[in-house]
Amino acid sequence: MNVLLVTSYWPNLHYFFYVLNASIINIEQFDNYSKQSYRNRTQILSANGILNLSIPIKKNKSEKVINSIEISYKEDWQKNHWRAITSAYKNSPYFDFFEEDLKVFYSNKYNLLIDYNTEQLKFIVKVLKQKKNIQLTKQYERNPDSFIDLRTIIHPKHSYSSDKLLANKLDQSYYQTFENKISFTPNLSILDLLFNKGLHTIDYLKSIDL
């Protein structure tokens, strides 16, 4: 299976399910940037429920193609995001195991959003000891015939349950840090699964049969 995905900030499990099952992962770099998407947004689970973390982007560019979108550092969002992640997951089983490697993404500065997101994706794939062919598109194709087009499928406005291939398979629960306070919350950032399941993250995702 070859898939075509948009770039995403710490992708959710819906997104990563396809990454795991794909032979070739094509990341679209010529689509137009759109607000309120996962391109610069991820969802983690805090003590008060779902928390959205958004990367600010520079707004003084007329060009909106995703491969030209620059990250803004006018505000110290890296410090705020890392503080939120630490607060949410410091007591999770595997936070200490991944802390130092992940902290790099909140100390090093990346100019382009797509570069930042792509490095995160490659990091997760490497951590899970998966060999995946991750590449950026060479041109924009409205109706690609060699890839499963998921560019509009995985979106905050679309429930993963509407994906006929997955149906409700992501409802399969796993331990979450605040499970004594908050009922199981599916389809969060891959970070939630990684911090709570460690390298068994791959077992969870593989248990979801196509």
Side-chain angles (χ1 to χ4, degrees), residues 8-189:
S8 181
Y9 176 39
W10 293 126
N12 61 24
L13 301 193
H14 187 186
Y15 186 109
F16 222 86
F17 168 80
Y18 285 104
V19 169
L20 177 66
N21 285 285
S23 299
I24 299 177
I25 300 141
N26 236 23
I27 306 298
E28 180 62 71
Q29 65 167 328
F30 296 108
D31 60 333
N32 290 328
Y33 173 79
S34 62
K35 296 179 180 180
Q36 298 181 337
S37 73
Y38 289 126
R39 290 171 179 83
N40 68 323
R41 169 183 166 188
T42 194
Q43 294 181 319
I44 64 172
L45 190 64
S46 74
N48 296 314
I50 293 176
L51 178 63
N52 290 307
L53 300 178
S54 296
I55 299 172
I57 64 167
K58 292 184 179 180
K59 298 180 173 63
N60 58 348
K61 293 180 67 67
S62 58
E63 185 63 63
K64 295 297 183 182
V65 177
I66 192 65
N67 65 7
S68 69
I69 297 299
E70 296 180 272
I71 297 173
S72 172
Y73 293 95
K74 287 184 178 180
E75 59 182 89
D76 198 353
W77 65 268
Q78 287 182 300
K79 179 179 179 180
N80 294 335
H81 284 204
W82 183 245
R83 182 183 295 160
I85 291 169
T86 300
S87 177
Y89 296 109
K90 63 184 177 182
N91 294 321
S92 63
Y94 295 95
F95 179 79
D96 291 343
F97 187 78
F98 297 111
E99 180 181 7
E100 290 306 311
D101 288 331
L102 287 169
K103 195 173 183 179
V104 171
F105 290 102
Y106 296 94
S107 55
N108 294 346
K109 286 183 167 59
Y110 290 74
N111 182 39
L112 297 176
L113 177 65
I114 195 166
D115 290 342
Y116 186 54
N117 290 349
T118 302
E119 286 304 306
Q120 291 175 352
L121 181 59
K122 290 179 178 179
F123 168 77
I124 297 293
V125 167
K126 181 180 179 180
V127 162
L128 297 179
K129 300 178 181 179
Q130 300 296 297
K131 293 183 179 180
K132 296 294 177 181
N133 184 352
I134 300 172
Q135 59 191 30
L136 300 179
T137 55
K138 302 297 189 296
Q139 61 184 14
Y140 184 82
E141 294 183 51
R142 186 175 297 277
N143 298 301
D145 56 12
S146 56
F147 291 88
I148 297 175
D149 189 356
L150 300 166
R151 290 174 296 184
T152 61
I153 302 297
I154 303 174
H155 192 280
K157 293 182 179 179
H158 301 155
S159 170
Y160 69 88
S161 61
S162 64
D163 184 337
K164 294 180 181 179
L165 186 59
L166 275 179
N168 293 314
K169 293 178 181 178
L170 287 177
D171 288 341
Q172 177 181 319
S173 65
Y174 58 87
Y175 168 81
Q176 290 179 321
T177 308
F178 303 105
E179 68 175 15
N180 292 329
K181 180 180 179 181
I182 302 171
S183 59
F184 177 72
T185 307
N187 199 34
L188 294 168
S189 164

